[in-house]
Amino acid sequence: MHILEGEGVTKYFGGLAAVSNVDFYVEQGEVVGLIGPNGAGKTTLFNLISAALVPKPGIIKYKGKNITRKKPHQICRIGIARTFQTVKIFANMPVLQNVLAGSFFGTSPGMSSTDATREALESLEFVGLSDLAATPAGDLTLANQKRLEVARALATRPELLLLDELMAGLNHTEIAESMELVKRIRDRGVTVVMIEHVMKAIMNVCDRIIVLHHGQKIAEGTPQEIATSKTVIEVYLGEQTNAGS
Amino acid sequence: AEEEPAPAPAPAPAPEPAAPIKDSIVIGASRPLTGAQAPIGDAALGPMMQLWEQKVNADGGIYVEEYGKKLPIEFLIYDDATDVGTMVRLTEKLILEDKVDILFSSCGTSFISAQAPIANKYGMVLITAEGGAVTMRDSLPGLPYTFVSLSFSDHYELPVFADMCAAEGAKTAYIISIADLHGVEYGGVGNMEFARVGIEVIANKSVPITYTDFSLLVKEAKAANPDVFCVFAYPPIVLPVTGEMMALGFNPPAVIMGPGANFGFYGVSFGGDPAVVEGVSCFATANKDTSPAFAEHFTALEELVGWPNSDWWGTPLYAPIMDIWVEAIEATGTLDQDVIRDYIATHHFDTILGDTWFEMFGDGGGLMAKETHTGEIGQWQNGTMEIVGGGDWPATVLTSDWIYPKPDWPTP
Amino acid sequence: MPESIVTILDVAIGGLLLGSIYALIAMGLSLQYGVARVLNIAHGEFIMIGAFCTLTLYTVVGINPLVCLAIVGPVIFVIGFLIQRTLFTKLRTSAPNQAAYEGSSMLATFGFMFIIQNIALIAWGADYQAYTYLNFGVNIGGAIFSANKLVILGFSIGIGVGFYTFLARTRMGKGIRSAAQDATTASLMGVNINHVLALCFGFGAAMAGMAGVLYSMRITLNPFMGLQYTVIAIIIIVLGGLGSIPGAFLGGLILGLIGEIVTKIDPSLSLAAHYFMFLPLILVRPKGIFGK
Amino acid sequence: MLEVNNINTFYGRIQALWDVCLKIEEGEIAALIGANGAGKSTLLNTISGVIHPTSGSITFLGQRIDGLPPHSIVELGISHIPEGRKLFTDMSVRENLEMGAYSSRVWKQKQETLEQVYQLFPVLKERAKQLARTLSGGEQQMVAMGRGLMSRPKLCIIDEPSNGLAPKLVTEVFEKIKSLREQGITILLIEQNVRHTLEIADHACVLENGRIALEGDCDELLKSDHIRKAYLGL
Amino acid sequence: MNITAFTFKKSLVPGLLLVILVALVTLPIYGSLYNVILVTSILMYANLTVSWVLFSGSTGYMSLATAAFFGIGIYASALFLPTTGAVFPVLVVVLIGGLASSLVALGVGALTLRLRGIYFAIFTFVLVVLIMELGIWWELSVSHLLGRYVILVDNNVIFYTMLGIFVLVMLTTFFIRRSKFGLAMRSIGENEEAASHIGINVTMVKVITFAISAFFMGATGAIWATKLTYVDPHVAFNVLFSFMPVLMAIFGGMGNIYGPVIGAALFAYLQETLQTEFPEIYMISFGFILVAVILYLPNGVLGLIQKLWKRISGGKRAHT
Ligand SMILES: Nc1ncnc2c1ncn2[C@@H]1O[C@H](COP(=O)(O)OP(=O)(O)OP(=O)(O)O)[C@@H](O)[C@H]1O
Ligand SMILES: Nc1ncnc2c1ncn2[C@@H]1O[C@H](COP(=O)(O)OP(=O)(O)OP(=O)(O)O)[C@@H](O)[C@H]1O
Ligand SMILES: [Mg+2]
Ligand SMILES: [Mg+2]
C-alpha cells in the first residue's frame, strides 16, 4: 500500500521552481532515499509533505487521503514526523522535555503525563540519549542533537518519518551509528524517507532512491540502478563515488 | 485602616504633645514637572507658587487663630510626570500621608477632572487652576469641595467673542480644533455661539494632538476666505499654524488662538519682536493696565521668571486663589477644610480681581463668577497684550479697542 | 493652472515635504536598529536636542540654521559614537545572545530618553519655544509653500541620498552593511565591529540631530517632544523593511504622502491613517516593502 | 608559520580547549580532524581572534596574535572561512567577494584579486550580480572560499568546506583546495571527510575532547590504528 | 545534608508565599490607608508585568499591546461604571473589562501572531496608538463625549480586587507553567517551526495565551479606572504602559515567576520615592538607575538575589 503519494507536486519561490511537477510514492514499511545536488529541492519537498509549505499546484496524499490543506501540527497528528536539515531543538530546555513535548502533542495528544514521560524516556533510550536526559539540549554535540531530533520525532509515534540530512557533519563512526539507527527505526515498522548526501548510507540503508535535480525527478530506482545511472553520475555523484566515505 | 504597625519593642518615642504645635502651613501639589504637560505647568501656575511663597512669608505668614500665631507657608510639590494615575496616587499621598493643610491643583483639564472627585472624597478644598471645561461644570453639583477658577468656553469667552465679531459684521468663521477635551468643547461651543449671532461656520476641523504639519490645513482655510479664523489648540499647534499663516499670507480679519497666543512666548516666537503678531486675538483676562494691583503682580512675575513670559489668560484668574485662602483662613481662624469650604462658598473676597466670589451649584461646588472677570478677550497690539473684550459688567476693564480687521502680517 | 491640479500639487508636494523629514528621521533609526541592533527609544530625543541647539545658536549667537547642520550634526555624531563605543559595546560583549542584547540595549535607550529629556529641561527649561527662519511663501505652479519647507525637502533628500551613496559605494559603507547582516563574519573579513557599530549609532544620532535642526524651523520645541517622532520612525523602518536604508527613505515619503492625503479628507484621521495603512501592509508583507 | 602554544579556551565556565599546541609550516596543508564537539571550530576561532584564550600564546610569522581582535588578525594575512559558509545573504556575490578584501592592506587591489578569484571559480563570475541567499549550497561554498581568498591571505583557515555538499561538489572542493596550495597559500583545513582530507594534506592533528590526541604526517596517520578505527571505520 | 537542604528549600518558598499573602490580605488592617493605595498601584504594575511575562516571557513574542488591553479595561469601566446612569457591580465590570480585552486579543492574535520578532512587537505597539486614535475619533464624531467619569470606589475594595486579580494571575501562571500547555508555550518560544511539526497547534496555543494574558490586563485596567475617575482615550491608552511591564520584567529578571513581581514592586517603589522625595531630579536619576541596572545587573534584580543566595548557601556548604 502507498502510505504517501504525491501528484504533480510543485512549488515556486518567485520565478524559481524549487519543486516542479514531481510525482512520487512511498510504500508502507520501506526506506526511501531522496538525493540530488544542492538546491535540487529536496528540503522543499519535505517542507511540502510536512505542510510547512503548501504545494501550488499538486496534491499530496497520506494513506489515500488528501492532506494538502492541513496544518503542520495536523500532519504530525496523523502520523508524519520529521527532522530538520539545520537542527531545530529546544536548546534551553532539558533533553527530556524536548522529547516530552513530542510525546505530549504527537499522534496521541490526550496522553496522561505518566504515559507521556514513559514514552519520552523510551524514545531517548532508543536513540541512546538516556544518560543525558537532564542536560540542556543546547549543550549536546551536533551528533547528539541530531539524535535528539530523531527521538523527539519518534516520541510523536509516527508511521512515517522524514529525515533531512541526519548524517551531514558527522564523522565516520557517527555515520555508522546513524545508519544502524535508521535500520532500527524501520524495524519498528516506521516508514522512512531520508535526504542524504552520504552515499554510503543511502546505498546501504535504502530500499529505493528518488533523485531530484532542478526541482524535477530525474531518476528513481534501487540503489544499484541509481549508482550506475549515467544521468545521476553526471549531475550528482561525479566520477569518483567514494565521496561519502 | 489604622496607623503604621507597632515597631518591635524599642525605646519608647517621646509622647506626642497634646497641644497642637504647628510651624507652617503645608501646601501640597502634584504637578507635571516632567512630561508632555511640563511646559504648561512651567508657564502658568509654577512661577506663581514661588511668588506666593515669597509674598506671604514676607508678611510672616498667615495668621491662624487656633494656633494663635502667624504660620509661614511651605510648598510640598511632587512630580506626576504627566500621568493621571500617578497624579491621583500622589494626591492621595499628599492628603493621607503628608496630611497637607492645603491642596493645590494639578495641571490640565483631564487631570483636574480626575483630581476633583478625589479631593472631594477626602473633604479637601480644591481651587483649580490650569483647566476648565463645560463637563466640569456639569459635575460640580456633586463636588462641594471643588471651586473652578479658570474660565471656559460657553460661560465666558466665546459668547463675548461671537458678539464682538458680529458687531464688526463678520459673516463666516473657520474653526480648527484639537482632538481632545479642550478642542472638542471650544469647537462645539464655537459652532453654537457663532450660529447664535448669525455667523456661518464654514468648517470645523479637528486635528490629532501630535500633528505637526499644517500647510494644507492653513491653505484650505485660506481658500475658504473666512472672516473669523479660530484655532482651539495648544502651543505646539498654535505656533506652527501662525507661522504657516505668515508664510502663506493668510490674513483673515479676525484670528483667535489658544491656549498659546495668550502667553508671552507666543509674541517672541516669530523673530523675537512681538509686533509681528499684531492683531492676533486670544483669551485674556487682564494686563498691567487693568489695575495697579495687576501691574505690580505682572512686574513681580516678570522679575521672577526673568522675562515677560506671562499668561494673560490664566494668571489673573489664578492670582486670587492665594488671596482667597489667606482671607478664608484668617477669617475662620482654622485650617479645618469643612469650615473653610463653607466660608469660601458663602463669601465674597477682596482680591486682585476686585470683588471676587464663586457662583455656587446648590450644595455642590463653585465656579468663579464671570462678573468678577476683568476681561475675556485680548489682542496683541504693538507688542503687548491688550484686553479688548469682556462681559458687560462693572468689573470689566478694557485696555484698548479691538482692531478689526487684523492688520496683514508684515512681509519679510 | 486649474484649481484641481493646484490641489494635487499641494497635496503631493506637501506630502513629500512632510515625508522627507520623516525619511531622514527613519533612516537614522534604521541604521541604529538595522545595523547596531539598538532599537533606540531615545531617537526622538536627539531630534529634540538638535532642534534646541539650533534655536540657541540661531537666536542667541545668530548662526544661520543651515550652518547649524554642519555644527550640530558632527557634535551629535560624536555623542552617539561615544555612547555606542562605551556603553553598548560593553552590553554587547556581555550579552549571552542577540535577543538579550536587543532587549537590554532598548532598555538602556529608555533610560537615555529620561536622561536627555532632563538635561534639556535643565538647559532650556520646560517652556515652549520657537523661532522662524525663511518663513515666506514660494509659488510653485500655483501652489504656495513656505520657503523653509522647501529648504527642508532639499536638505533631507540631499542628506538621504548622500548617505545612501556612502553606504552603497564606500568601503566603510560596505563594512557597515556587512556588519548588519552578520557581525562575527564581518569581523573575520577585517571589519572592526565595535568601530563600525559606533559609527552607525553615531550616524543615526546625527541624522536625527540634523532632522531636528531642519524641522526646528517649523515646530514648537519643548524637552518632551521627542517620543512622537520615535514612534513615527519605528513605524517607517518596519514599513520599509528593517535595515533597509532605501526602504526607510521611501517609507518616510509614503507615510508623509498618506498623511497629507488623509488630511485633505479628514484631518482628525490623519494619524490614524498612518497606522491603518501600516497594519494591513505589515500583514500582507510582513517584512516591509523592501524587506526580503 | 603559525605556532599555537598551550592554549586554553573557555565558553563561560566550560573549558573547550585544553593545552592545545599546533605548528603549521609555510606552504603546507595542515589538517585538523576530530569528532563533533571536539573543539576544532573553537581552535580556529581562537586563532582568528573571535574568541580569546585564557592562557597560552599564538604567534604568526613571529608575531604574537592572541588577544588581537579579528580585524587586526586579518590584516596580518590570516583568512578564516567559517563553518556554515556565513555569507552576507542579502548582498550580491560580487559584494560578498569584495567584502573579503575589506582589510586595508588589500582593498586597493580588490579588482585584480577579484579577477584571480573568478579564474579559480568561473561560475562566480556568471553569478556576480545574484544575491548570495539564492545560490545553491555548492555555489555558496565557492563564494565563501572565494571571499576568504580575497584578503590575499598567507594562511587560509577553512572549516568543514564539504559539509552538506553533493558528492560531485565535494570532489571539486578538494581539488580547489589543492590548487590553492599550488598558489603558495598555506592552509589549515578542518574536515569530517577524513580519508579525503588525509589524502590531500601534508600534516594533521587529531583533536579529541579539546585536547590534541595525535599528530603527525598524513602518510603515517593513515596507517595509525586509532585513526583507522575511529575515523576511517576500517 | 543535601536532603535537609532540599526539604528546607521546598518548604521555604510556599511558606514565604503564604506569609506574604497573609501580609497583603491583612494590610488594610495594620497599614495606613496610603500604604494600601501604594500597594494597590504596585499590584497594578505587578499584574500587568506578570500577565505580560505569561505570554511574552515563554513564547518569546514581545508584545507591546499591554497599553491597549489595559486601556480597553479602563474604557470598559468608563462605559459601565459611569457616575450617572446604570452602574453595574464593580466585579462584573472587571469581568467585562477582562473579557473585552481578551476578545480583542483573540482577534488581533489570530491575525498577527504569525509575525515574528520585532515585527510583532511593533505591530502591537501600533495597535495601541491605533486604538487610541480610533477611540478619539469615535468619541469626537459618534458619541460626542470626550471625557467620561467613573464612579469612586472605596480604596479597600479596589485593593482587594487588585489583589484578587494578582493572586489569580499568579496561580494561572504557576499552573500553566507546570502544565502541558506551558511546555507547548516554551517549545514555541524555543523554536516555533519545530513545535508545530511535533503536533503542537502553535496558532491556538499562542492566541489562547495572548487572550489569557489580555484578560488579566483588561481586568486590571477595569479596576484601575475607578482610581482614575476620569477617562478619555489619551488617559486610557498611554503607550508608557506598554513599555513599563517590559522594563519591570527585565528589571526584575524573568528567570522564574517571582522575578517580574520583584521587578514591578521595586520599580514602582523606586519611581514613587523619586517622584516624591526628589521630584526635581526624578527623571534624570531614574534614567541613570535604569542604565546602571542594565549595565551591572544583566539578569535583573532576581539574578542578583540568586547570585547572592548562591554565594551564601555555597559558603555554608564549604564549611560543612
Ligand atoms: N524560502 C525560500 N525562498 C526562496 N527560495 C528558496 C526558499 N527555500 C528554498 N529556496 C530555493 O529553492 C531551491 C531548493 O532548495 P532546497 O532547500 O529544497 O534544496 P535542497 O535540495 O534541500 O539542497 P541542499 O542539499 O543544499 O540542502 C534552492 O535554489 C533554494 O535557494
Ligand atoms: N558559543 C558557544 N558557547 C558555549 N559552548 C560552545 C559554543 N560553541 C561551541 N561550544 C562547545 O564547545 C565544544 C567544542 O565545540 P566546537 O564547535 O569547537 O567543536 P567542533 O569540533 O568544531 O565540532 P563540529 O564538528 O560539530 O563543528 C562543544 O562541546 C560545544 O558544545
Ligand atoms: Mg536541504
Ligand atoms: Mg566545527
Side-chain angles (χ1 to χ4, degrees):
Chain A
M1 187 189 111
H2 292 176
I3 187 168
L4 188 72
E5 243 176 310
E7 290 164 22
V9 177
T10 303
K11 177 73 197 175
Y12 276 88
F13 289 116
L16 172 89
V19 173
S20 161
N21 199 21
V22 172
D23 296 329
F24 66 91
Y25 68 88
V26 177
E27 210 75 67
Q28 177 110 42
E30 69 175 343
V31 177
V32 174
L34 187 56
I35 63 172
N38 296 105
K42 306 180 294 293
T43 302
T44 307
L45 187 58
F46 267 23
N47 285 339
L48 292 169
I49 298 171
S50 63
L53 298 170
V54 180
K56 213 174 163 186
I59 292 179
I60 298 172
K61 286 184 189 162
Y62 176 70
K63 293 185 174 168
K65 280 203 202 96
N66 187 344
I67 55 166
T68 324
R69 298 270 147 225
K70 288 200 185 300
K71 292 266 152 46
H73 69 274
Q74 294 171 321
I75 296 287
C76 173
R77 287 182 188 176
I78 58 172
I80 304 178
R82 70 171 292 185
T83 67
F84 300 89
Q85 181 167 2
T86 43
V87 284
K88 294 189 159 76
I89 48 161
F90 306 139
N92 298 311
M93 284 159 50
V95 166
L96 178 62
Q97 291 218 0
N98 270 262
V99 186
L100 203 54
S103 55
F104 259 135
F105 292 96
T107 48
S108 31
M111 209 183 265
S112 78
S113 78
T114 31
D115 285 352
T117 314
R118 190 168 35 73
E119 185 88 5
L121 286 169
E122 200 219 307
S123 285
L124 280 180
E125 178 80 53
F126 185 78
V127 302
L129 285 178
S130 301
D131 294 346
L132 296 169
T135 319
D139 290 354
L140 299 184
T141 62
L142 180 69
N144 281 339
Q145 291 185 351
K146 293 205 157 184
R147 280 194 201 120
L148 173 57
E149 276 210 336
V150 175
R152 189 177 63 188
L154 285 177
T156 67
R157 297 165 159 251
E159 288 178 61
L160 172 65
L161 181 60
L162 311 175
L163 298 172
D164 195 349
E165 298 208 25
L166 179 60
M167 311 194 189
L170 301 193
N171 67 21
H172 176 81
T173 326
E174 292 159 346
I175 288 177
E177 285 167 10
S178 300
M179 283 162 60
E180 210 43 49
L181 182 63
V182 175
K183 285 183 187 157
R184 284 193 289 130
I185 293 172
R186 180 195 54 200
D187 295 344
R188 287 177 96 176
V190 178
T191 310
V192 175
V193 183
M194 57 192 281
I195 298 176
E196 212 54 78
H197 288 304
V198 179
M199 279 307 108
K200 194 169 78 181
I202 286 284
M203 296 299 165
N204 269 320
V205 181
C206 297
D207 301 313
R208 198 157 55 81
I209 295 173
I210 297 172
V211 189
L212 290 185
H213 181 44
H214 287 319
Q216 281 162 329
K217 189 168 81 177
I218 55 162
E220 185 170 4
T222 61
Q224 289 73 25
E225 287 163 7
I226 295 300
T228 52
S229 153
K230 259 212 159 102
T231 5
V232 178
I233 292 179
E234 192 187 317
V235 305
Y236 181 64
L237 295 173
E239 294 310 323
Q240 299 160 285
T241 45
N242 65 346
S245 59
Chain B
E2 294 172 12
E3 289 308 311
E4 296 287 330
E16 283 282 320
I21 288 188
K22 210 158 168 61
D23 296 327
S24 63
I25 295 173
V26 179
I27 304 176
S30 166
R31 304 281 302 165
L33 302 183
T34 59
Q37 246 155 38
I40 303 225
D42 199 51
L45 199 60
M48 294 190 67
M49 293 201 269
Q50 255 176 295
L51 197 62
W52 285 328
E53 190 170 7
Q54 286 170 12
K55 215 177 93 186
V56 174
N57 290 347
D59 287 353
I62 305 174
Y63 181 78
V64 194
E65 199 183 295
E66 61 181 345
Y67 299 103
K69 61 177 172 185
K70 276 195 167 185
L71 296 177
I73 60 169
E74 191 186 304
F75 278 96
L76 179 59
I77 295 172
Y78 294 155
D79 178 16
D80 64 31
T82 315
D83 173 57
V84 175
T86 309
M87 184 278 295
V88 167
R89 192 184 73 240
L90 293 178
T91 300
E92 293 189 299
K93 181 175 167 70
L94 288 166
I95 298 170
L96 295 169
E97 189 94 335
D98 305 315
K99 303 198 163 47
V100 295
D101 302 302
I102 297 175
L103 181 67
F104 260 35
S105 161
S106 58
C107 171
T109 309
S110 45
F111 282 69
I112 291 175
S113 301
Q115 192 178 34
I118 304 288
N120 196 68
K121 170 177 163 186
Y122 294 105
M124 292 293 284
V125 172
L126 182 73
I127 309 180
T128 70
E130 302 103 325
V134 175
T135 49
M136 275 294 293
R137 176 182 49 201
D138 297 341
S139 52
L140 273 179
L143 299 171
Y145 290 85
T146 303
F147 298 91
V148 175
S149 82
L150 188 65
S151 54
F152 52 80
S153 57
D154 69 346
H155 194 55
Y156 306 93
E157 307 100 356
L158 289 181
V160 172
F161 184 66
D163 285 339
M164 287 165 68
C165 292
E168 298 290 349
K171 292 279 174 285
T172 54
Y174 195 106
I175 301 177
I176 290 178
S177 57
I178 196 166
D180 80 343
L181 194 51
H182 171 79
V184 173
E185 173 183 326
Y186 277 71
V189 172
N191 275 343
M192 279 157 40
E193 288 299 330
F194 285 129
R196 175 179 62 79
V197 297
I199 295 177
E200 182 201 357
V201 175
I202 33 189
N204 194 336
K205 301 224 166 186
S206 167
V207 296
I209 216 163
T210 52
Y211 205 60
T212 52
D213 199 283
F214 301 94
S215 336
L216 199 60
L217 281 172
V218 173
K219 271 179 198 170
E220 288 192 333
K222 186 182 177 194
N225 196 25
D227 295 328
V228 183
F229 182 55
C230 308
V231 181
F232 300 130
Y234 304 124
I237 289 179
V238 164
L239 294 186
V241 167
T242 309
E244 205 65 54
M245 290 173 76
M246 292 175 177
L248 301 179
F250 175 34
N251 286 296
V255 175
I256 189 159
M257 300 192 181
N262 54 303
F263 287 97
F265 62 73
Y266 179 78
V268 299
S269 290
F270 306 93
D273 179 6
V276 177
V277 294
E278 181 76 7
V280 173
S281 303
C282 59
F283 310 123
T285 312
N287 70 6
K288 285 185 189 171
D289 294 337
T290 302
S291 68
F294 270 121
E296 191 190 330
H297 180 73
F298 282 119
T299 311
L301 268 181
E302 277 173 32
E303 273 166 20
L304 187 77
V305 179
W307 64 291
N309 187 22
S310 302
D311 167 7
W312 309 101
W313 177 13
T315 297
L317 299 174
Y318 312 146
I321 295 176
M322 201 65 215
D323 295 338
I324 292 171
W325 273 108
V326 172
E327 201 180 318
I329 293 171
E330 291 188 338
T332 57
T334 177
L335 291 172
D336 186 290
Q337 296 286 312
D338 295 334
V339 178
I340 292 176
R341 186 262 153 204
D342 289 341
Y343 187 87
I344 296 179
T346 51
H347 286 75
H348 283 221
F349 295 84
D350 180 24
T351 73
I352 189 168
L353 277 174
D355 186 20
T356 310
W357 69 96
F358 288 96
E359 185 187 330
M360 301 307 295
F361 288 74
D363 294 334
L367 207 59
M368 194 183 278
K370 58 184 169 189
E371 289 77 7
T372 68
H373 283 201
T374 50
E376 302 292 355
I377 305 296
Q379 185 178 39
W380 285 93
Q381 295 179 6
N382 291 321
T384 48
M385 172 61 54
E386 298 291 354
I387 308 303
V388 295
D392 50 0
W393 36 79
T396 301
V397 179
L398 300 188
T399 60
S400 178
D401 288 334
W402 194 38
I403 304 178
Y404 183 100
K406 174 187 97 66
D408 286 359
W409 306 107
T411 40
Chain C
M1 231 184 261
E3 193 73 13
S4 59
I5 296 197
V6 173
T7 309
I8 290 172
L9 255 182
D10 261 346
V11 172
I13 298 185
L16 288 183
L17 292 167
L18 181 60
S20 67
I21 202 84
Y22 284 178
L24 197 57
I25 296 167
M27 281 166 75
L29 191 66
S30 183
L31 264 180
Q32 295 179 334
Y33 185 70
V35 183
R37 304 317 272 178
V38 178
L39 188 60
N40 184 9
I41 303 292
H43 193 61
E45 271 52 47
F46 287 95
I47 298 172
M48 179 264 294
I49 291 287
F52 264 119
C53 287
T54 312
L55 177 103
T56 302
L57 286 175
Y58 182 55
T59 56
V60 177
V61 188
I63 297 174
N64 180 319
L66 295 176
V67 177
C68 287
L69 273 180
I71 303 170
V72 174
V75 169
I76 294 189
F77 169 82
V78 171
I79 296 172
F81 185 91
L82 291 178
I83 290 179
Q84 168 79 34
R85 196 64 218 236
T86 51
L87 205 113
F88 290 132
T89 302
K90 179 175 177 341
L91 276 182
R92 197 173 68 85
T93 44
S94 61
N97 57 46
Q98 172 92 6
Y101 172 60
E102 284 186 24
S104 60
S105 62
M106 185 180 90
L107 201 56
T109 61
F110 213 85
F112 278 128
M113 181 180 90
F114 283 105
I115 296 171
I116 298 175
Q117 283 180 358
N118 206 274
I119 292 174
L121 185 65
I122 292 165
W124 287 285
D127 282 349
Y128 291 113
Q129 298 184 48
Y131 70 93
T132 45
Y133 178 71
L134 295 181
N135 193 35
F136 52 85
V138 176
N139 192 321
I140 303 178
I144 301 174
F145 296 97
S146 58
N148 55 26
K149 226 174 161 177
L150 295 171
V151 167
I152 292 175
L153 175 74
F155 273 86
S156 304
I157 290 185
I159 295 170
V161 168
F163 199 78
Y164 179 69
T165 319
F166 165 78
L167 276 183
R169 294 286 148 79
T170 65
R171 169 168 172 256
M172 187 75 80
K174 287 208 166 88
I176 289 177
R177 283 168 60 212
S178 68
Q181 296 184 28
D182 183 341
T184 315
T185 310
S187 76
L188 287 177
M189 302 298 113
V191 179
N192 183 343
I193 286 302
N194 288 339
H195 187 70
V196 162
L197 296 186
L199 279 180
C200 283
F201 199 82
F203 280 133
M207 289 173 92
M210 292 200 279
V213 172
L214 291 171
Y215 215 30
S216 67
M217 300 173 198
R218 297 186 52 80
I219 51 173
T220 309
L221 318 185
N222 82 76
F224 307 98
M225 63 184 238
L227 191 62
Q228 73 184 81
Y229 297 101
T230 310
V231 172
I232 288 181
I234 290 178
I235 290 174
I236 295 172
I237 62 169
V238 172
L239 199 66
L242 281 184
S244 163
I245 300 290
F249 192 78
L250 266 165
L253 293 183
I254 292 173
L255 212 64
L257 262 177
I258 303 252
E260 204 77 344
I261 291 170
V262 178
T263 301
K264 183 84 195 162
I265 302 163
D266 179 355
S268 69
L269 284 176
S270 55
L271 289 184
H274 288 171
Y275 313 122
F276 252 136
M277 66 154 290
F278 173 82
L279 298 189
L281 211 144
I282 200 80
L283 285 176
V284 177
R285 276 199 67 98
K287 300 254 150 159
I289 304 171
F290 279 70
K292 290 154 189 163
Chain D
M1 182 180 213
L2 181 81
E3 221 170 298
V4 175
N5 283 317
N6 293 314
I7 286 292
N8 288 290
T9 302
F10 287 77
Y11 286 110
R13 288 187 177 178
I14 300 158
Q15 184 156 10
L17 295 179
W18 307 71
D19 290 325
V20 171
C21 298
L22 182 74
K23 238 187 202 162
I24 298 173
E25 301 299 335
E26 187 139 10
E28 69 171 357
I29 295 183
L32 192 60
I33 53 186
N36 271 293
K40 305 181 297 295
S41 302
T42 307
L43 178 54
L44 299 200
N45 284 334
T46 313
I47 294 172
S48 61
V50 175
I51 15 178
H52 296 296
T54 43
S55 66
S57 70
I58 306 174
T59 39
F60 177 64
L61 296 171
Q63 186 184 348
R64 280 284 290 262
I65 60 165
D66 50 292
L68 290 184
H71 60 93
S72 315
I73 292 178
V74 177
E75 293 280 347
L76 295 175
I78 297 183
S79 170
H80 179 176
I81 299 168
E83 194 173 6
R85 296 160 205 163
K86 300 280 166 62
L87 296 187
F88 301 119
T89 46
D90 289 338
M91 286 174 147
S92 69
V93 167
R94 190 194 159 109
E95 284 179 313
N96 263 281
L97 292 174
E98 283 180 350
M99 273 312 296
Y102 187 84
S103 115
S104 57
R105 183 171 50 92
V106 292
W107 179 255
K108 290 263 152 55
Q109 298 128 280
K110 65 173 186 303
Q111 205 49 46
E112 283 168 61
T113 327
L114 197 60
E115 288 308 321
Q116 291 169 12
V117 169
Y118 282 158
Q119 264 173 19
L120 197 60
F121 302 109
V123 64
L124 298 188
K125 190 162 187 172
E126 295 164 26
R127 303 299 180 97
K129 292 236 166 73
Q130 198 171 339
L131 283 189
R133 180 161 50 85
T134 63
L135 295 176
S136 86
E139 289 158 353
Q140 291 193 2
Q141 189 59 49
M142 286 183 214
V143 177
M145 294 194 25
R147 190 180 61 180
L149 296 174
M150 286 295 292
S151 68
R152 299 187 163 220
K154 299 178 185 127
L155 170 66
C156 191
I157 302 178
I158 312 177
D159 199 346
E160 301 208 16
S162 79
N163 190 349
L165 291 193
K168 189 176 161 194
L169 286 173
V170 173
T171 323
E172 279 181 35
V173 163
F174 277 100
E175 288 306 316
K176 300 290 183 196
I177 293 174
K178 266 201 274 182
S179 73
L180 292 183
R181 173 177 52 187
E182 276 142 35
Q183 294 176 13
I185 299 173
T186 310
I187 286 165
L188 172 57
L189 176 67
I190 290 191
E191 259 296 330
Q192 295 292 0
N193 195 331
V194 174
R195 159 158 309 161
H196 222 137
T197 308
L198 292 181
E199 276 168 8
I200 65 163
D202 303 302
H203 183 95
C205 286
V206 179
L207 202 58
E208 281 174 4
N209 295 324
R211 296 179 175 85
I212 296 283
L214 206 62
E215 85 177 289
D217 285 342
C218 291
D219 314 342
E220 286 163 29
L221 286 178
L222 270 169
K223 290 176 203 141
S224 129
D225 266 359
H226 181 67
I227 295 282
R228 290 167 69 87
K229 251 203 207 125
Y231 296 99
L232 298 177
L234 296 172
Chain E
M1 188 248 131
N2 251 340
I3 290 170
T4 50
F6 184 65
T7 44
F8 168 65
K9 204 180 161 194
K10 215 175 165 185
S11 57
L12 181 71
V13 172
L16 208 66
L17 285 181
L18 196 71
V19 170
I20 293 175
L21 192 64
V22 170
L24 280 175
V25 170
T26 52
L27 178 71
I29 299 168
Y30 66 82
S32 71
L33 183 52
Y34 181 66
N35 280 340
V36 173
I37 291 167
L38 181 61
V39 173
T40 305
S41 81
I42 289 177
L43 284 175
M44 180 273 287
Y45 281 120
N47 287 349
L48 294 184
T49 308
V50 177
S51 320
W52 181 82
V53 172
L54 172 65
F55 173 73
S56 295
S58 46
T59 59
Y61 279 78
M62 179 156 112
S63 160
L64 291 178
T66 312
F69 299 135
F70 185 57
I72 290 171
I74 292 179
Y75 240 84
S77 272
L79 294 175
F80 296 105
L81 281 179
T83 36
T84 54
V87 177
F88 288 69
V90 172
L91 284 183
V92 174
V93 173
V94 167
L95 201 68
I96 293 175
L99 289 177
S101 287
S102 49
L103 255 167
V104 173
L106 280 178
V108 171
L111 256 173
T112 64
L113 274 166
R114 62 199 178 79
L115 298 173
R116 284 240 53 150
I118 198 78
Y119 293 96
F120 179 76
I122 291 171
F123 189 100
T124 48
F125 178 70
V126 168
L127 184 74
V128 179
V129 203
L130 180 69
I131 292 185
M132 180 180 82
E133 292 288 344
L134 287 182
I136 293 172
W137 178 83
W138 171 269
E139 298 280 45
L140 272 181
S141 333
V142 184
S143 69
H144 300 288
L145 239 184
L146 207 72
R148 295 167 181 271
Y149 291 88
V150 181
I151 53 160
L152 273 173
V153 174
D154 180 69
N155 275 314
N156 286 339
V157 173
I158 302 177
F159 170 75
Y160 281 118
T161 312
M162 208 59 107
L163 183 62
I165 299 171
F166 176 70
V167 170
L168 272 180
V169 70
M170 289 301 278
L171 286 177
T172 310
T173 307
F174 182 75
F175 284 113
I176 285 188
R177 279 199 177 213
R178 301 190 45 167
S179 73
K180 172 179 157 179
F181 199 74
L183 184 64
M185 278 161 57
R186 245 171 308 143
S187 304
I188 292 171
E190 291 277 340
N191 192 313
E192 186 165 343
E193 201 183 340
S196 74
H197 285 290
I198 57 170
I200 296 172
N201 186 346
V202 291
T203 316
M204 197 192 72
V205 171
K206 287 187 297 187
V207 171
I208 289 183
T209 322
F210 197 47
I212 294 176
S213 121
F215 176 86
F216 291 115
M217 293 171 176
T220 305
I223 188 66
W224 186 246
T226 63
K227 285 211 69 66
L228 298 177
T229 67
Y230 167 86
V231 175
D232 69 26
H234 289 287
V235 172
F237 300 97
N238 182 345
V239 292
L240 272 184
F241 281 93
S242 283
F243 285 103
M244 281 303 177
V246 188
L247 298 182
M248 290 175 171
I250 299 178
F251 188 77
M254 288 193 277
N256 66 33
I257 80 176
Y258 312 114
V261 181
I262 296 173
L266 282 181
F267 206 91
Y269 187 74
L270 181 73
Q271 218 181 3
E272 147 99 11
T273 311
L274 290 174
Q275 276 167 343
T276 56
E277 300 295 317
F278 313 100
E280 303 297 333
I281 55 156
Y282 147 67
M283 263 179 49
I284 200 158
S285 35
F286 191 68
F288 275 114
I289 290 172
L290 256 181
V291 173
V293 165
I294 296 151
L295 274 177
Y296 299 106
L297 298 181
N299 297 318
V301 178
L302 188 75
L304 181 76
I305 295 173
Q306 282 169 340
K307 212 163 144 191
L308 290 177
W309 175 252
K310 253 189 206 148
R311 198 169 289 170
I312 294 166
S313 55
K316 262 190 217 150
R317 217 167 287 147
H319 285 292
T320 48

